[in-house]
Amino acid sequence: MGDDPTAHGGAGHEPGEPVSCTVRGGVADVRLDRPGKRNALDPAMFTGLVRVGETLRADSSVRAVVLSGTGRSFCAGLDVAAFDEMTTGEHTLPEAAGPAGGPAQALGQRAAHVWTELPVPVIAALHGHAYGGGLQIALGADIRLAAPGTLLSVMEIAWGLVPDMTGTQVLPELVGRDVAMELTLTGRVVDAAEADRLGLVTSTEDDPLTAALALAEDVAGKNPDAVRHAKRLVNLAGRTRLAEGFAAEQTAIRRLIGSPNQVEAVRAKLSERAPAFTDPA
């Protein structure tokens, strides 16, 4: 990647940091990078996810994000050491970390919700395990692609807990309230095929990371203004009054029609050439 002028370090990655990020051609490749622990969540991982997510949110050159894990799993959930601490009373939740007025205040919530807050689409590539907090981080993505052997679980109940990283609020939207209730109360493990049927993942892919990067590259080639409006509008669905959603559509279309990137999209389409878009200011 070193000789590609469109590649840069994004949020950066120093040796030993648990989250890496590289941006190339408008696509941010974010990886949970604690393979020896199956990318289990510890304070450094939580902090790294929030830091990278917030950095990407402010980077107008980023047009799509791929979120994956190195090694054998996407993320196996909370580090077992934290559960040991709970039995002795030594484990405490970190202080509120979110911006004033934001819906996600706790650090764990920020680690999952920050991906929803990005103005560009986030695609999670899942493999191995996506358990507990790992699954909740994946739920923060807009699209989830899973390898056939992936195992997923709302596992908190097995440890006498409840999901506390936005999962209780996001999961019912994807699978329905009854299925979300059953998965949360039992903590049972589902494979990728069942997760696909339930709507927990978008699709199964033999190589989800390659598929996610290809999808992100495709999205990065579209009008970045339209992509940002599209994510915001779809995320309004069911969360605001219908009249407000319809009005937001009209506001977006009025801003897009005749704008430089929209004109470029039309000209490129008619000329059967690749468009040359300008990143948002």
Side-chain angles (χ1 to χ4, degrees), residues 103-273:
Q105 289 296 303
L107 181 61
Q109 291 178 330
R110 295 289 302 145
H113 191 67
V114 69
W115 309 105
T116 301
E117 293 178 328
L118 263 63
V120 299
V122 178
I123 306 160
L126 310 180
H127 74 289
H129 305 84
Y131 285 170
L135 176 57
Q136 292 180 83
I137 289 169
L139 295 179
D142 302 290
I143 297 168
R144 284 160 295 282
L145 309 181
T150 307
L151 300 176
L152 307 93
S153 172
V154 186
M155 191 163 276
E156 284 79 5
I157 196 70
W159 299 97
L161 301 170
V162 296
D164 66 333
M165 292 169 56
T166 77
T168 61
Q169 304 305 298
V170 177
L171 187 60
E173 214 173 41
L174 292 173
V175 300
R177 189 177 297 270
D178 56 342
V179 173
M181 188 73 76
E182 185 263 332
L183 293 175
T184 302
L185 293 178
T186 65
R188 70 182 181 87
V189 176
V190 301
D191 63 15
E194 182 178 4
D196 193 357
R197 292 195 301 272
L198 294 174
L200 193 55
V201 300
T202 309
S203 68
T204 56
E205 303 287 344
D206 289 337
D207 186 342
L209 180 55
T210 296
L213 289 168
L215 177 56
E217 289 169 6
D218 180 54
V219 171
K222 303 295 195 297
N223 176 359
D225 301 322
V227 168
R228 288 169 175 242
H229 278 298
K231 173 166 177 172
R232 182 177 59 84
L233 289 170
V234 171
N235 281 340
L236 283 177
R239 301 173 183 175
T240 190
R241 293 187 305 112
L242 200 55
E244 292 175 357
F246 287 168
E249 276 189 350
Q250 291 304 299
T251 298
I253 201 69
R254 288 190 177 97
R255 289 177 178 172
L256 287 169
I257 291 176
S259 64
N261 277 337
Q262 193 268 329
V263 170
E264 171 61 10
V266 173
R267 288 175 174 167
K269 184 73 171 176
L270 294 176
S271 301
E272 298 183 349
R273 62 170 173 80

